[in-house]
């Protein structure tokens, strides 16, 4: 929840990441975004885990084929699945809203991938897929340490680190 305002206001509007974090901290009362992942680890069902695995495979295929629309759709779906596993409907609504605000920023910065003249939809498969696989593996094995590493890798891709 806090990483989205940090990206939008701190990065996109150049207000300063530290200032935005300080402003948002009282609102989230110490709950970091990885708390959502921790809840997903604790609450996930086998059916939800199978859905996340299938979504990851769709994401991987989209990245390999360079289909930017499908990359965006499956990336969004992957994170929605994690949020659903956490069992908090409000997080999902907030994620969708924040994603719609941030999508232009990520595309403009090349963080989601960019189409190059004469070379449509070139993306770095390893950079895009490894953190998603790490998150899937963390949830499968119920490893909070792996989840934290995957979360940090995702923030790195987004340009928030």
């Amino acid at each position: 929840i806090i990483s989205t305002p940090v990206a939008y206001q701190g990065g996109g509007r150049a207000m300063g990441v530290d200032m935005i974090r300080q402003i948002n901290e009282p609102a989230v009362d110490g709950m970091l975004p990885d708390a959502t992942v921790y809840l997903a680890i604790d609450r996930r069902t086998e059916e939800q885990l199978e859905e996340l695995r299938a979504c990851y495979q769709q994401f991987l295929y989209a990245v390999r084929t360079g289909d930017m629309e499908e990359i965006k759709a499956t990336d969004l779906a992957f994170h929605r699945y994690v949020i659903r596993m956490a069992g908090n409907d409000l997080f999902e609504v907030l994620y969708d809203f924040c994603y719609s605000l941030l999508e232009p920023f990520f595309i403009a910065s090349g963080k989601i991938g960019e189409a190059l003249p004469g070379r449509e939809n070139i993306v770095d498969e390893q950079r895009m897929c490894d953190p998603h696989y790490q998150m899937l593996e963390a949830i499968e094995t119920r490893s909070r340490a792996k989840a934290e590493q995957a979360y940090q890798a995702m923030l790195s891709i987004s340009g928030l680190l």
Side-chain angles (χ1 to χ4, degrees):
I1 298 299
I2 199 169
S3 61
T4 300
V6 169
Y8 181 66
Q9 300 292 339
R13 292 199 173 175
M15 294 176 68
V17 170
D18 291 333
M19 183 174 98
I20 300 304
R21 282 190 176 142
Q22 290 173 357
I23 291 169
N24 283 285
E25 189 60 32
V28 295
D29 195 25
M31 286 191 63
L32 298 173
D34 51 314
T36 301
V37 178
Y38 294 165
L39 287 172
I41 287 170
D42 293 342
R43 296 178 176 177
R44 66 129 170 110
T45 66
E46 285 303 313
E47 182 179 324
Q48 289 172 323
L49 189 55
E50 284 303 316
E51 290 172 353
L52 187 63
R53 286 180 186 127
C55 184
Y56 172 76
Q57 290 301 318
Q58 292 171 341
F59 176 72
L60 183 61
Y61 180 78
V63 170
R64 287 181 175 163
T65 60
D67 183 341
M68 292 309 298
E69 290 304 313
E70 191 63 20
I71 289 170
K72 289 186 282 186
T74 55
D75 181 50
L76 180 61
F78 182 91
H79 295 287
R80 275 191 193 141
Y81 277 116
V82 173
I83 291 168
R84 280 189 201 134
M85 287 178 184
N88 188 324
D89 294 337
L90 179 59
F91 283 173
E92 188 172 357
V93 171
L94 289 172
Y95 177 78
D96 288 344
F97 175 73
C98 292
Y99 188 91
S100 70
L101 292 175
L102 286 174
E103 184 181 19
F105 166 75
F106 288 132
I107 290 171
S109 68
K111 300 302 178 183
I112 292 180
E114 60 185 352
L116 302 174
R119 300 172 66 200
E120 294 180 359
N121 302 329
I122 302 298
V123 292
D124 182 341
E125 180 180 328
Q126 185 174 357
R127 183 177 72 89
M128 292 292 291
C129 295
D130 282 0
H132 290 79
Y133 180 78
Q134 291 167 6
M135 185 62 70
L136 172 60
E137 184 179 50
I139 293 170
E140 283 177 326
T141 61
R142 298 186 189 267
S143 171
R144 289 182 174 206
K146 287 181 181 179
E148 179 62 29
Q149 291 172 346
Y151 179 74
Q152 294 299 318
M154 287 181 178
L155 286 178
S156 179
I157 287 172
S158 70
L160 298 178
L161 281 181

